[in-house]
Amino acid sequence: MRLLNVRILSAAAAVAAAGVLVPAGTAAAMPDPPGDSWDHTFTAPGVTVYVEEYGDRISVCDSAANGSSAQVNVWADGGWRYKAVASGGSGSCVTHSASEGGAYNLPEGAFIELYYKGVSTGYATRSTYVNDH
């Protein structure tokens, strides 16, 4: 019985040691922000935008090491609401949601337009959705 306990403890120690060997930056390499579900995912060169309609969560992530910050401009029913910029380099994200109030609390049933880009030159890509439908 004592030999079995030693083996179990050895196996547990090996698993714990293997966890230490995993590089800390592995998860940061993926530009997908935290969250379990996204209603919409939009991409263009150097940028990914994630949208969760309920709670008005919009996240913009920089997906290219190109020297440009990824950004999104959010419009609701034809009026400009806010701009979000992921300025931390490739793999960085910034998220805003209705819980912040003001411009981040998008009207229910509104036609939402997103203009986003991840390169400093060229035009932004446009995507749309109806909020909280």
Side-chain angles (χ1 to χ4, degrees):
M1 184 69 169
R2 184 177 180 135
L3 181 59
L4 180 61
N5 286 341
V6 169
R7 286 184 182 169
I8 291 172
L9 289 175
S10 295
V15 169
V20 172
L21 297 175
V22 175
T26 303
M30 291 300 297
D32 188 349
D36 57 359
S37 66
W38 296 97
D39 297 318
H40 308 282
T41 302
F42 305 110
T43 60
V47 61
T48 303
V49 177
Y50 300 90
V51 174
E52 197 170 305
E53 291 181 21
Y54 292 98
D56 303 334
R57 240 171 46 131
I58 297 177
S59 184
V60 59
C61 297
D62 192 323
S63 60
N66 59 9
S68 295
S69 296
Q71 59 184 319
V72 63
N73 281 282
V74 179
W75 292 67
D77 282 340
W80 184 77
R81 299 296 291 224
Y82 68 90
K83 177 180 183 176
V85 179
S87 57
S90 181
S92 67
C93 299
V94 65
T95 303
H96 292 291
S97 68
S99 64
E100 296 173 72
Y104 306 112
N105 187 7
L106 304 176
E108 284 71 30
F111 181 73
I112 307 297
E113 296 175 85
L114 304 175
Y115 295 88
Y116 49 95
K117 65 181 185 172
V119 295
S120 59
T121 59
Y123 295 98
T125 300
R126 176 181 177 261
S127 294
T128 63
Y129 66 95
V130 176
N131 194 37
D132 297 336
H133 70 280

